[in-house]
Amino acid sequence: EAQVTQNPRYLITVTGKKLTVTCSQNMNHEYMSWYRQDPGLGLRQIYYSMNVEVTDKGDVPEGYKVSRKEKRNFPLILESPSPNQTSLYFCASSFRGNRNIQYFGAGTRLSVL
Amino acid sequence: TQLLEQSPQFLSIQEGENLTVYCNSSSVFSSLQWYRQEPGEGPVLLVTVVTGGEVKKLKRLTFQFGDARKDSSLHITAAQPGDTGLYLCAGRPPSNAGKSTFGDGTTLTVKP
């Protein structure tokens, strides 16, 4: 089954404790993105990648890092999480030939205390 | 940053009524997408519009892209409780294939 898998689905952590949210897709898609969703603000793009070893900042990259060492994986790294990073996070992927069709993971709900 | 403004933010209607959701910007987009999101799930693509003036229909849903490719609308005819959800528009700028901007969303509730 074609899918985007995020882990974990739920995470509660404390300020400053490094964490990684994993994202994996099995569709051989070139494009991958991370978004955060906050009430009343829709989805905001954090980082995106157009291929292996190619990443770029979205609209809200501060406090986040990403890497794209393999085509299927696009982890989101929070080196020193802060309470304002409490949010719902989504990973998405799309095929370069039809980049308008984004497939989303089920989301990771993060709480930073 | 290109912005997309969606309206209304909340909409509560009775089953059988019609409704329109708007997505507006001052910027040109190479394409606009409409997604629907259920609680606890990621957004699911409904449609993509690419050409200015384009109209697409998906059963009772009609999507339109503005002639200048700066705005779009979603019209639902005879809404049903199953249409309840969060509707999001999203656009890609002409200059950057990787970037994607989302509207704030419209929460639709259709009461039986």
Side-chain angles (χ1 to χ4, degrees), chain B residues 4-84:
Chain B
L4 278 169
E5 295 182 352
Q6 261 186 262
S7 61
Q9 188 175 2
F10 298 97
L11 194 53
S12 181
I13 61 173
Q14 292 294 134
E15 181 176 1
E17 293 183 1
N18 301 331
L19 67 110
T20 302
V21 178
Y22 299 93
C23 180
N24 296 304
S25 177
S26 59
S27 304
V28 174
F29 289 92
S30 61
S31 65
L32 269 175
Q33 293 79 48
W34 285 93
Y35 291 83
R36 182 176 158 203
Q37 185 179 15
E38 304 271 5
E41 299 179 9
V44 175
L45 182 70
L46 295 173
V47 78
T48 293
V49 285
V50 178
T51 306
E54 183 176 4
V55 177
K56 282 191 174 179
K57 291 191 175 184
L58 188 65
K59 296 184 180 178
R60 294 175 293 99
L61 279 61
T62 301
F63 305 86
Q64 187 161 6
F65 201 11
D67 291 341
R69 293 186 292 139
K70 293 182 178 181
D71 56 86
S72 181
S73 63
L74 157 61
H75 182 79
I76 301 179
T77 303
Q80 300 177 359
D83 295 327
T84 293

Side-chain angles (χ1 to χ4, degrees), chain A residues 33-34 44-50 54-66 74, chain B residues 1 96 98-100:
Chain A
S33 288
W34 275 104
R44 293 179 291 169
Q45 194 175 36
I46 302 170
Y47 269 95
Y48 61 94
S49 169
M50 296 169 71
V54 179
T55 62
D56 211 340
K57 295 177 180 178
D59 293 322
V60 288
E62 294 78 21
Y64 304 95
K65 287 176 58 178
V66 294
F74 191 44
Chain B
T1 301
N96 191 329
K99 289 210 73 174
S100 187

